[in-house]
Amino acid sequence: MSETLENLLQETRRFEPPGDLAADANVKADAYEQAGADRLAFWATQAGRLDWTKQWDQVLDWSNPPFAKWFVGGTLNVAYNCLDRHIEAGRGAKVAIHFEGEPGDRRTITYSDLHTSVCRAANALTALGIEPGDRVAIYMPMIPEAAVAMLACARIGATHSVVFGGFSVDALKGRIQDADAKLVITADGGYRRGKPSALKPTVDESVAECPSVEHVLVVRRTGEDVSWTDGRDLWWHEVVETADPVHEAQPMDAEHPLFILYTSGTTAKPKGILHTTGGYLTQVSYTFNAVFDHKPDTDVYWCTADIGWVTGHSYIVYGPLSNGATQVMYEGTPDTPHRGRFWEIVQQYKVSILYTAPTLIRTMMKWGDDIPAEYDLSSLRILGSVGEPINPEAWIWYRQTIGRGETPVVDTWWQTETGGIMISPLPGVTATKPGSAMRPLPGIVADVVDDQGNSVPNGGGGYLVLREPWPSMLRTIWGDDQRFIETYWSRFSNMYFAGDGAKRDEDGDLWLLGRVDDVMLVSGHNISTTEVESALVSHPKVAESAVVGATDPTTGQAIVAFVILRGAAEGDDALLGELRDHVAKTLGPIAKPRQIMLVPELPKTRSGKIMRRLLRDVAERRSLGDVTTLQDSTVMDLIQNGMSAGK
Ligand code: ATP
Ligand code: MG
């Protein structure tokens, strides 16, 4: 990793925070000093942003690493912090959620409305025999009831396990069984790509092999026919909407299990990541306020993630609601019924903070600038990115085309395991660099180390680690402490190893390079896939690319690139030659791809991440490995056909 190429470090563009934003920012530069002087006191201050029913005795108990306890002895209720306290402060009439269904149906839900729904659901769950510590699986479309279900669990101390609504029978079954869930909350279906997409049949098939499940609670969304198991299945509108709207939130221990969330499975068998109550809420609440500079009286926030991913947990449900935010929730796909849908939503609700993923940004680039140009995006003041490294050109496009060349872009690095944002610019403080997540947030101690675990100097590259525990850290892998230790704490002693590679530039700022498994070894040089991809995307005709190392008799591994062209660009042999030369010129001859293939799509997980593992299979002409987490399996046929046609 130390030999990684130098191109990213040659990025010289800098963007200072807008003056008025900096002057009025929630978090200023002194936060780094305060946290640096006394990290635990800093986190105690942030915990003080929440309402506790009992103050903690100790901020951090790290006597049995890597098993951390934060805010030991404290008690609080997460749902109370997300709802009741705003109402008690006179903000019950404030809009919590502007819901936009894919077919165009809309609902405006105030904090009081949401509170009433959550109280009813809490009473209904209790009546169904759900007790603190019981697990509840939630398999839902992106509708407000998904958030209600999560908050109702939090309110009564049940541990939720949200499973992304696009997952298959096997994925759902495995997750229900792993957590021994007693209840499954689902819907008849949701809307995707202009039509109803059923969920209940998947639940029926899964639950048939899940003896722990006593009931299935079903929200009616699409109105399509569903099969019904009497005694087991219950309609939400019959059980929840008729329940008592009065419910008193019960205090939970700071370390009470709040949720289990299985990682997206890009690299290995999904792991049930366990998050607890006090530390988790402290960190997601603080980071939402800090990273998005959220102003409760004026901002309208929209995170385009699905609630089934950690981004949806931390930055649709718990972070925004604990801060009393007004947000947009959208059910469907970005191109239904047309490719301007996202920008239409921004215009409609005057969204001021947008949080989305590089995969979507690159897709919008591919569709062309004339689409966002049709909408009024002047309400936007902060743009966030999460999920993958963002290529510098995609970052610039986001800032220029969506952000009028004025809005700060915050590239936020974090994981299911970290619970909240760890590395990110602060919009009122940081002079950003396109493609860099910049610095660990105040209170976070991240580092880049070599094979031996020594910090690399500025200008070096290596493994991204976290040297100190943080409040929203995972507490374990559900039911498998040993795997928790082996996966995250064994590669280096006394450090959390995230699995990602990173570089530290001459100023000490961090550049994420993707997973260490994706680094290629070409003629003895370590080259990161991210860097070659970014070089390709910096060519004006390229929208998106994925790069893999394929076994090569002479160089060990050779670089094979899959490329999607922008809008109207036409591909031919001359262009392929031009692209190969462009990479060589940008990064040096060692990084010149052996082969470039033009493809219409790339294989992505359902959370939008490129699955390089499958492309490596194609490049090495092997049969494909596990494709079950692929978003669209026909993509691989398109790519393989192109390959055999010799393109
Ligand atoms: P699995 O661990 O099962 O393979 P996953 O890692 O895709 O799943 P997540 O926890 O959702 O599941 O993703 C976290 C990973 O996403 C990080 O480890 C990193 O590789 C990548 N990532 C997230 N945000 C960024 C970012 N801003 N820059 C670079 N990489 C990012
Ligand atoms: Mg991961």
Side-chain angles (χ1 to χ4, degrees), residues 128-146:
L128 290 175
I130 304 299
E131 292 182 0
D134 284 346
R135 273 81 60 206
V136 173
I138 298 177
Y139 183 70
M140 294 273 259
M142 275 293 287
I143 56 175
E145 286 81 355

Side-chain angles (χ1 to χ4, degrees), residues 175 261-271 273 309-311 355 358 385-390 410-418 423 435-437 464 483 488 496 498-501 511-518 530 605 607 609:
R175 286 160 172 77
L261 180 61
Y262 291 81
T263 60
S264 71
T266 319
T267 47
K269 175 174 172 275
K271 303 171 276 279
I273 303 301
W309 311 123
V310 72
T311 307
Y355 194 28
S385 173
V386 60
E388 286 182 292
I390 178 163
V410 288
D411 173 18
T412 63
W413 178 88
W414 59 296
Q415 311 176 293
T416 309
E417 294 87 338
T418 68
I423 305 176
S436 170
L464 181 69
R483 191 173 177 207
Y488 304 109
Y496 170 88
D500 286 358
W511 299 75
L512 277 305
L513 296 176
R515 299 158 200 284
V516 289
D517 311 350
D518 286 337
T530 303
T605 61
S607 57
K609 294 178 189 188

Side-chain angles (χ1 to χ4, degrees), residues 55-132:
Q55 177 80 7
W56 55 90
D57 309 312
Q58 191 186 2
V59 176
L60 169 66
D61 175 358
W62 192 233
S63 58
N64 179 30
F67 300 95
K69 291 187 183 141
W70 282 86
F71 307 111
V72 184
T75 65
L76 74 168
N77 186 282
V78 167
Y80 175 86
N81 274 280
C82 290
L83 302 168
D84 306 56
R85 65 172 178 151
H86 306 315
I87 296 165
E88 287 165 19
R91 294 193 297 271
K94 192 182 174 200
V95 175
I97 298 175
H98 289 291
F99 172 69
E100 170 103 2
E102 199 191 70
D105 54 318
R106 289 179 180 155
R107 278 194 261 169
T108 305
I109 301 168
T110 65
Y111 272 89
S112 290
D113 297 336
L114 192 59
H115 176 256
T116 302
S117 300
V118 169
C119 288
R120 287 188 198 276
N123 282 319
L125 263 55
T126 303
L128 290 175
I130 304 299
E131 292 182 0

